[in-house]
Amino acid sequence: MSIVILLVVVFSMLLAIILALSNSYFVNLKGASVDAERFLLKADEWITDDSVEFVIDSEFFIQFLGIIRSCLPLDEFWLTAIGIVLYYSTFIFIFSRFKGSFISGFSFLLAM
């Protein structure tokens, strides 16, 4: 991975973490809090209902959050940070797998 692409990835990851901090502790960003709150509420419902299902859509991530929340009492920021780390881990894997295709890598960053 070239140094420019690495800098773009690091900068965008830091920006995502700063926005997650802001959204979790200081001010609700328009649109961001709705998804985070919905995911957390659904994860809490899943924990209390003990309804494990095999799903492959967004419910998979909700159950993943539920498992983490049942083991560790994490708040919204830390769960968002886990999602950011997973997102960028996937980005680095895909970007290195396709030998640095700039178009596919940059479009993946924009999808966040």
Side-chain angles (χ1 to χ4, degrees):
M1 204 181 300
S2 76
I3 191 71
V4 173
I5 295 171
L6 183 64
L7 287 175
V8 169
V9 170
V10 169
F11 175 74
S12 63
M13 186 172 181
L14 288 175
L15 182 63
I17 290 173
I18 289 169
L19 290 173
L21 275 169
S22 174
N23 189 51
S24 298
Y25 297 120
F26 302 113
V27 62
N28 277 338
L29 300 173
K30 186 174 184 168
S33 61
V34 176
D35 275 346
E37 290 170 4
R38 183 182 68 84
F39 273 78
L40 291 177
L41 286 174
K42 299 266 294 179
D44 288 337
E45 288 175 13
W46 179 77
I47 291 170
T48 57
D49 293 344
D50 291 330
S51 60
V52 178
E53 301 172 13
F54 180 74
V55 290
I56 55 172
D57 54 0
S58 62
E59 295 291 323
F60 172 80
F61 190 66
I62 289 171
Q63 290 186 6
F64 178 73
L65 290 178
I67 290 169
I68 292 174
R69 278 185 74 107
S70 66
C71 298
L72 302 168
L74 299 175
D75 65 351
E76 179 182 340
F77 168 72
W78 291 107
L79 293 172
T80 304
I82 290 171
I84 291 170
V85 168
L86 289 173
Y87 178 86
Y88 280 95
S89 303
T90 304
F91 168 76
I92 291 169
F93 173 75
I94 288 174
F95 196 77
S96 63
R97 178 87 173 162
F98 292 109
K99 305 296 183 226
S101 171
F102 184 76
I103 299 299
S104 65
F106 190 68
S107 63
F108 193 78
L109 277 177
L110 292 177
M112 185 174 180

